[in-house]
Structures are given as structure tokens and as C-alpha cells.
Amino acid sequence: ALDWAANELPIAWQGRTLRLDRLLRRRGADGRPEWWVLDHKLQAAPQHDAELVAQLRRYREAVAALRPGETVRAAFVTGGGEVVEVGD
């Protein structure tokens, strides 16, 4: 299902350069492209750190602005290998 991926990807958004740990595109269950912004964090529960959550949401918002109309999801990948999706 994975058809494109990049690591340490810089993107320009709102006058700033953001560096995404990993951005990938896969085919969703409905066959349409689905983008994932992945942010690697060593701590066990980055989803409980408001600053880190805000940063990841900003990354997702930037990718969504670059890919209008496409699904963009975001998740932390923890030091323990857990994938924790961050919603709105």
C-alpha cells in the first residue's frame, strides 16, 4: 500500500521551514491516497505533551495545505515502536 516516502523532509509553510521526520503516501482502504506525517519521539507517551502535539498538528496542517482535498493523518512513533495517531 506504500507508494512514496521521504525522511527528514523540509517544507516551507507560513514563512517557516518545517522539517518532517517522515512523510509517506499510501493507498487507503478506499484506494485513494492517504498521507501520513510521522514524528519520531524517544519518550513513551509524547501524545501527553501539549507542545509536541501542537507541533505535530502544525506539520499535518502544512501538508494538508499542500495537498488540498487529500486525507492527511499524523502520528508519533515512540521509542518503544508504538504508533500513536494524533487527531484534531
Side-chain angles (χ1 to χ4, degrees):
L2 179 65
D3 63 3
W4 184 88
N7 295 320
E8 297 296 325
L9 181 69
I11 61 172
W13 188 66
Q14 293 187 338
R16 298 177 54 179
T17 298
L18 307 177
R19 183 168 300 279
L20 309 180
D21 286 352
R22 186 157 175 84
L23 179 64
L24 60 89
R25 184 182 62 213
R26 61 181 300 276
R27 295 285 165 207
D30 60 2
R32 295 188 345 212
E34 181 177 86
W35 293 90
W36 279 87
V37 179
L38 301 176
D39 197 15
H40 298 274
K41 298 295 180 202
L42 292 177
Q43 55 265 61
Q47 69 275 20
H48 298 302
D49 183 320
E51 189 174 314
L52 294 177
V53 170
Q55 178 186 42
L56 185 54
R57 285 180 175 150
R58 188 169 43 254
Y59 292 169
R60 184 184 62 213
E61 185 179 350
V63 173
L66 295 170
R67 307 301 307 181
E70 296 184 21
T71 300
V72 180
R73 299 169 74 177
F76 291 113
V77 180
T78 70
E82 184 181 7
V83 176
V84 181
E85 187 171 3
V86 172
D88 293 328

